[in-house]
């Protein structure tokens, strides 16, 4: 079963457990993504999204344009459904799941840090979920909010836009200011660029056995860290 997009890319949903993206970009490549249908429902991945081959997508999962899904992420749409809206990212080893007939929604430019767990919740536009945070069922994280690393957000929690949410159980520490939000948006923009870089050049290779004298290093624009920002 195939769909064609402007003659540039071909996106195939195969009857095997794999989705296959064939890209006719300058660096032509094949990326196998581990996708499973369940009860006849197949994941959907926009051609402008990047999903790492070790991520697992099951059933009713929709990944929108410009999204990034990192290594080891598990998006299980086998009870409810999962939506990643345009420009959002779900990083390494994150888990998204829900109770039956419920959803995980990550709105536009949502930013889900390494190892976070989303269970039947909504993450608002331009919000950030910190590393290893847990967001429980029916929780609603307001737009442009930040949930601190390792926070636990109980089921049914509601947070207003631009909340800095910390602790176990989570509480609002203060409002997000313009500088906090700008730092968050810079980080999300870096993941937009990582999506483009990954689509263009990320390929599986055999490692070298020694460090070459002229070994190349990655040189990227600096990012302002959140250090001190959350203490104000």
């Amino acid at each position: 079963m195939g769909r064609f997009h402007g003659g540039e890319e071909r996106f195939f949903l195969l009857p095997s457990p794999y989705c296959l993206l064939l890209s006719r970009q300058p660096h032509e490549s094949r990326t196998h993504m581990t996708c499973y249908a369940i009860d006849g429902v197949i994941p959907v991945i926009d051609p402008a999204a990047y999903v790492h081959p070790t991520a697992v997508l099951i059933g009713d999962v929709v990944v929108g344009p410009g999204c990034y899904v990192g290594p080891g992420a598990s998006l299980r749409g086998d009870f409810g459904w999962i939506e990643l809206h345009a420009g959002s990212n779900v990083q390494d080893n994150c888990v998204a799941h829900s109770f039956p007939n419920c959803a995980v929604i990550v709105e536009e430019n949502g930013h889900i840090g390494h190892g976070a767990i989303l269970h039947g919740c909504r993450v608002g536009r331009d919000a950030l979920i910190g590393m290893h945070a847990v967001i429980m069922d029916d929780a609603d994280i307001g737009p442009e909010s930040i949930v601190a690393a390792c926070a636990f957000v109980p089921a049914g929690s509601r947070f207003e836009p631009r909340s800095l949410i910390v602790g176990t159980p989570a509480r609002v520490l203060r409002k997000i200011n313009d500088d906090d939000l700008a730092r968050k948006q810079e980080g999300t923009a870096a993941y937009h660029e990582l999506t483009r870089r990954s689509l263009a050049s990320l390929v599986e290779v055999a490692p070298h056995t020694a460090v070459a004298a002229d070994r190349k290093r990655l040189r990227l624009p600096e990012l302002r860290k959140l250090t001190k920002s959350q203490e104000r």
Side-chain angles (χ1 to χ4, degrees):
M1 199 165 32
R3 293 183 297 176
F4 296 83
H5 298 269
E8 293 298 320
E9 294 181 330
R10 298 181 181 182
F11 179 64
F12 290 86
L13 295 174
L14 300 180
S16 71
Y18 297 102
C19 296
L20 177 62
L21 176 66
L22 301 182
S23 176
R24 296 180 181 271
Q25 300 300 319
H27 298 279
E28 185 168 345
S29 64
R30 293 186 178 186
T31 302
H32 292 275
M33 293 171 282
T34 308
C35 298
Y36 296 88
I38 188 167
D39 298 334
V41 180
I42 299 173
V44 176
I45 303 171
D46 189 278
Y50 178 78
V51 177
H52 192 273
T54 61
V56 177
L57 280 62
I58 300 174
D60 198 355
V61 179
V62 177
V63 180
C67 291
Y68 175 89
V69 179
S74 174
L75 279 60
R76 284 180 49 206
D78 49 11
F79 280 5
W81 68 96
I82 299 167
E83 298 177 9
L84 305 185
H85 294 183
S88 58
N89 68 78
V90 174
Q91 297 171 20
D92 322 50
N93 299 319
C94 290
V95 174
H97 195 238
S98 70
F99 279 107
N101 310 313
C102 297
V104 173
I105 308 294
V106 180
E107 294 183 351
E108 183 177 0
N109 292 329
H111 190 112
I112 314 302
H114 314 291
I117 297 175
L118 308 179
H119 205 274
C121 59
R122 176 180 293 271
V123 176
R125 174 185 50 79
D126 233 347
L128 181 149
I129 307 301
M131 293 180 281
H132 292 283
V134 177
I135 317 297
M136 291 300 293
D137 302 275
D138 296 320
D140 194 309
I141 307 300
E144 300 181 347
S145 293
I146 294 176
V147 177
C150 297
F152 177 78
V153 176
S157 299
R158 298 285 188 273
F159 292 97
E160 296 294 322
R162 287 205 173 196
S163 297
L164 177 58
I165 301 160
V166 304
T168 303
R171 61 184 176 85
V172 176
L173 180 62
R174 61 169 174 82
K175 298 296 287 186
I176 292 295
N177 60 43
D178 290 345
D179 186 61
D180 299 328
L181 182 59
R183 290 169 187 254
K184 181 272 169 195
Q185 290 173 337
E186 290 169 9
T188 302
Y191 270 88
H192 294 163
E193 181 60 24
L194 179 58
T195 298
R196 291 187 286 268
R197 292 168 55 212
S198 297
L199 287 171
S201 69
L202 194 149
V203 293
E204 186 174 8
V205 297
H208 294 304
T209 57
V211 178
D214 60 348
R215 180 175 174 79
K216 177 182 177 181
R217 291 213 180 266
L218 294 174
R219 299 296 180 191
L220 301 171
E222 294 288 337
L223 283 176
R224 294 186 298 158
K225 298 176 183 177
L226 290 174
T227 308
K228 303 297 183 183
S229 172
Q230 295 184 5
E231 298 176 3
R232 293 196 299 276

